[in-house]
Amino acid sequence: MAKVELSQRQKRILRFVEDFSRKKGYLPSIREIGAAVGISSTSVVDYNLRILERERHIQRDPKVSRGIKLLGSHPRGRSRLDLGLVAVPLLGRIAAGQPIPVPEDSPAEETIELTRNLLKDVDGIYALEVKGNSMVDALVNDGDIVVMKHQDTAENGEMVAVWLKDRQETTLKKIYHEGRRVRLQPANPLLKPIFAPAENVEVQGKVIMVVRRLGK
Amino acid sequence: MAKVELSQRQKRILRFVEDFSRKKGYLPSIREIGAAVGISSTSVVDYNLRILERERHIQRDPKVSRGIKLLGSHPRGRSRLDLGLVAVPLLGRIAAGQPIPVPEDSPAEETIELTRNLLKDVDGIYALEVKGNSMVDALVNDGDIVVMKHQDTAENGEMVAVWLKDRQETTLKKIYHEGRRVRLQPANPLLKPIFAPAENVEVQGKVIMVVRRLGK
DNA sequence: ATTATACCAGAACTTGTGTTCTATGTCAAG
DNA sequence: CTTGACATAGAACACAAGTTCTGGTATAAT
């Protein structure tokens, strides 16, 4: 019960509330949320807000109109003075046949700028450009940019970059610890997971975002 | 009438509203303001709020509970145009079984902010959230956000959303005109293209970006 | 089949909250 | 002294908005 995946609808609600708050300066009512995400019933919005509150994404003040407090992304709220821009260093390439670079390694000569509202976490993140199409299993293609956070452990369900020692390759998968083995689940739901003994996998970082630019 | 000195009471109200907003995350009601600054009558609070609004310290949304917006130090701020920020309207969902919405249809109640350096083109773009995993062929998964530009023709090699009339479904593919037929090539290089007569495909827009947020 | 759970819709209900009306008091200008 | 703008209090009111109840659908487990 500690960690539950939010439904699409709940994510949508959360994003709408954040957006509404930023744009209007105050918070939406239940009915406004309903109208925005296509829910006709106030009770359903309430139901989903309860879940969001249980999962610590928001905090609600009972009996108070528009009494929602956002916890996740902008606890300080109104400070539009910081522009919400984050310069993420683009450290290099990632390819199947080699371990990924770590933040300390190289100075960032290139950065990509992202807005803070796309990122929840800003510390210690960096970006890599994917080289080759060895990661289509992870729905990541040649030229895509993955934004990573460096860490060497991972919680269940996180999308991580792992180095498989025996195969000498890097792969992006959702990770699940299952006793002394590890299940690596491709993001593509049509593909089967692979299993590996825990000693064989080395977590190199967590994937927090994927950006693909198309068109020329 | 340009610059009027605020009364002690009005300054007090303003400070309280700022404080309340910072601390609680939402805005105070008229009665809460009254209680805090020692006014027993709601009309008096209203009266003073009118003045504060006239003097451009706050902005009120009529009929909306707690609908106060603080304008304080950054009345207009800088527009996001000169910041390289672009607010892209998030118009709705896209799923295999239905045509995609067009920009005119619905008012944008949500936006996502992107930096201009990620986008080359800013006119007429909008975003859609992908529903379901019917587009994994295009390396696009449930929950991903695709940024589109509306257009009904496409050049060779562009990644477009097309409506297949016979199948009654939307799909994302790279398009190639080949005489009177069209080749639709999945982004995933492992998959084979499909071919369709030109009359059967209806270009709905060009995909210019895909954003996937992971984690929590 | 039966139960339980997660999710949703609609409507009724209750309370929260902004608006407005009347009254009172002050004070400076005519 | 009267008038009028400013400032206030109190109460009645109407609508906004949260809560709750009843019922429905799926799905999985028993």
Side-chain angles (χ1 to χ4, degrees), chain A residues 12-77:
Chain A
R12 191 129 183 256
I13 289 177
L14 194 54
R15 282 214 313 282
F16 170 71
V17 173
E18 288 166 358
D19 209 60
F20 188 101
S21 165
R22 182 154 26 83
K23 213 177 315 183
K24 307 267 276 185
Y26 50 86
L27 291 130
S29 70
I30 283 190
R31 282 168 181 82
E32 282 167 338
I33 295 173
V37 302
I39 298 175
S40 67
S41 170
T42 56
S43 61
V44 178
V45 178
D46 180 64
Y47 170 76
N48 284 290
L49 287 178
R50 275 175 207 280
I51 294 173
L52 285 172
E53 180 166 33
R54 172 160 51 80
E55 300 303 320
R56 307 290 159 123
H57 289 91
I58 61 172
Q59 194 174 316
R60 292 212 292 167
D61 230 330
K63 296 289 185 181
V64 172
S65 304
R66 301 168 185 269
I68 294 176
K69 184 196 289 195
L70 288 164
L71 297 179
S73 33
H74 46 114
R76 296 221 75 54

Side-chain angles (χ1 to χ4, degrees), chain B:
Chain B
M1 89 169 52
K3 178 72 175 228
V4 177
E5 194 62 31
L6 293 180
S7 77
Q8 213 54 37
R9 190 168 250 187
Q10 283 146 20
K11 285 185 204 165
R12 185 122 183 262
I13 289 176
L14 197 52
R15 267 190 290 119
F16 170 72
V17 172
E18 287 165 358
D19 211 56
F20 187 100
S21 166
R22 187 150 17 87
K23 214 170 319 183
K24 307 267 276 183
Y26 49 87
L27 291 132
S29 72
I30 283 190
R31 282 168 181 81
E32 282 167 339
I33 295 173
V37 301
I39 299 174
S40 68
S41 170
T42 57
S43 62
V44 178
V45 178
D46 180 64
Y47 170 76
N48 284 289
L49 287 179
R50 273 175 208 281
I51 296 173
L52 285 172
E53 181 166 31
R54 173 161 49 81
E55 300 304 321
R56 307 288 158 123
H57 289 92
I58 62 172
Q59 192 174 317
R60 292 213 290 167
D61 227 329
K63 295 289 185 181
V64 172
S65 305
R66 299 168 186 267
I68 295 177
K69 186 194 288 195
L70 288 164
L71 298 178
S73 41
H74 40 91
R76 292 220 63 55
R78 31 233 133 172
S79 83
R80 49 172 54 91
L81 294 182
D82 35 295
L83 291 177
L85 282 181
V86 185
V88 180
L90 184 56
L91 289 187
R93 322 278 194 87
I94 176 175
Q98 52 196 209
I100 65 174
V102 284
E104 290 72 47
D105 276 8
S106 42
E109 73 276 347
E110 282 177 81
T111 63
I112 63 170
E113 277 190 333
L114 297 172
T115 53
R116 175 165 279 118
N117 66 59
L118 290 176
L119 265 23
K120 50 189 181 320
D121 206 352
V122 179
D123 271 354
I125 69 173
Y126 60 101
L128 298 172
E129 182 182 332
V130 173
K131 187 69 191 155
N133 52 26
S134 58
M135 296 184 181
V136 289
D137 292 2
L139 299 178
V140 171
N141 201 6
D142 187 59
D144 288 4
I145 291 172
V146 298
V147 179
M148 315 252 333
K149 182 184 174 96
H150 183 63
Q151 59 184 37
D152 36 29
T153 61
E155 291 175 27
N156 278 338
E158 285 187 334
M159 171 81 81
V160 289
V162 299
W163 174 249
L164 296 177
K165 290 182 197 164
D166 60 348
R167 303 195 198 185
Q168 288 282 301
E169 67 174 51
T170 300
T171 181
L172 301 179
K173 295 277 190 304
K174 272 193 276 189
I175 194 170
Y176 295 91
H177 303 282
E178 299 184 339
R180 54 177 9 108
R181 73 171 187 179
V182 170
R183 173 163 55 98
L184 297 171
Q185 185 88 39
N188 185 335
L190 303 179
L191 300 178
K192 293 199 187 316
I194 64 176
F195 297 92
E199 319 83 66
N200 189 37
V201 311
E202 203 167 79
V203 175
Q204 306 211 327
K206 175 171 62 165
V207 180
I208 55 185
M209 191 170 163
V210 177
V211 178
R212 177 180 313 142
R213 281 185 282 181
L214 286 309
K216 252 256 292 302

